[in-house]
Amino acid sequence: MSELTTVARPYAKAAFDFAVENGAIEKWHEMLAFATAVANDATMATFLSSAETLDKKVEVFINVCGEQLDEKVQNFVRLMAENGRLKALSAVVALFAELRADYDKEIAVDVTSAVKLTKKQQDNLAKTLEQRFSRKVKLNCTVDAAIVSGLYIKAGDTVIDGTVRGKLDRLAHALQS
């Protein structure tokens, strides 16, 4: 996966920069996501890995996508195909989404709690995290009774483990040392 990410990074950056210049970030994200869905289809994936000529593969791929892709995105897909990079399209979309979130000053935060958080608790948590990260926060809340109590928060590379399970694990580790 890291190899695909490395290959995809310059394509994602170029696509994102073009989308920003043309004020079409949302549109490009939707079109790239659609192209990825088409590329990930089992039948299309088999066809793309077949012995057909590159021109035939690109023509069929773009025809299948039809009007969902504008001329610029079609050219982008054609360029990726010519360079043998269509397999990296999923990674391009993921990196594009990261660039978009960074551009919009948003961060997705995964929150795990022992019980379902109320709307008010979620709002208070979001407000606190927005202050801490200086960004808009999008909470993805899940419930896991195994953590006993407290919250486990993951935002990018930052992890805040305020769970009883985490404290017990750290205590057990300290006692064993």
Side-chain angles (χ1 to χ4, degrees):
M1 182 65 179
S2 64
E3 182 180 321
L4 281 180
T5 302
T6 302
V7 167
R9 189 170 285 112
Y11 289 99
K13 180 79 171 111
F16 185 77
D17 289 346
F18 184 83
V20 168
E21 287 174 18
N22 292 284
I25 298 171
E26 175 79 23
K27 184 177 175 185
W28 264 74
H29 191 219
E30 289 172 4
M31 290 186 287
L32 289 173
F34 182 80
T36 299
V38 170
N40 289 340
D41 177 73
T43 307
M44 182 58 76
T46 302
F47 174 75
L48 291 174
S49 62
S50 70
E52 290 289 333
T53 65
L54 177 65
D55 290 337
K56 180 73 172 172
K57 289 178 186 179
V58 172
E59 179 185 336
V60 169
F61 186 86
I62 289 176
N63 284 338
V64 168
C65 291
E67 297 296 316
Q68 297 292 327
L69 306 182
D70 69 11
E71 184 181 342
K72 304 292 185 193
V73 176
Q74 287 178 9
N75 289 339
F76 181 77
V77 168
R78 191 173 284 113
L79 176 70
M80 287 188 71
E82 288 171 359
N83 291 321
R85 305 298 195 207
L86 272 182
K87 289 182 179 173
L89 197 52
S90 299
V92 168
V93 172
L95 290 167
F96 189 97
E98 287 178 20
L99 290 168
R100 180 180 177 188
D102 191 48
Y103 180 80
D104 292 339
K105 300 266 188 238
E106 290 180 352
I107 189 167
V109 178
D110 297 320
V111 178
T112 306
S113 60
V115 295
K116 185 173 177 14
L117 297 176
T118 65
K119 177 71 173 145
K120 184 176 181 182
Q121 289 171 324
Q122 289 181 23
D123 291 343
N124 288 340
L125 181 60
K127 189 183 303 180
T128 301
L129 292 173
E130 284 174 359
Q131 290 173 345
R132 178 173 179 142
F133 295 117
S134 300
R135 296 173 168 263
K136 289 184 260 176
V137 170
K138 180 182 179 297
L139 293 180
N140 301 317
C141 297
T142 57
V143 175
D144 181 4
I147 65 171
V148 184
S149 179
L151 297 174
Y152 182 85
I153 301 169
K154 185 170 189 317
D157 293 336
T158 304
V159 174
I160 303 169
D161 187 355
T163 64
V164 170
R165 171 60 42 211
K167 290 176 183 175
L168 289 173
D169 290 344
R170 287 189 294 280
L171 178 62
H173 181 69
L175 290 173
Q176 291 175 353
S177 296

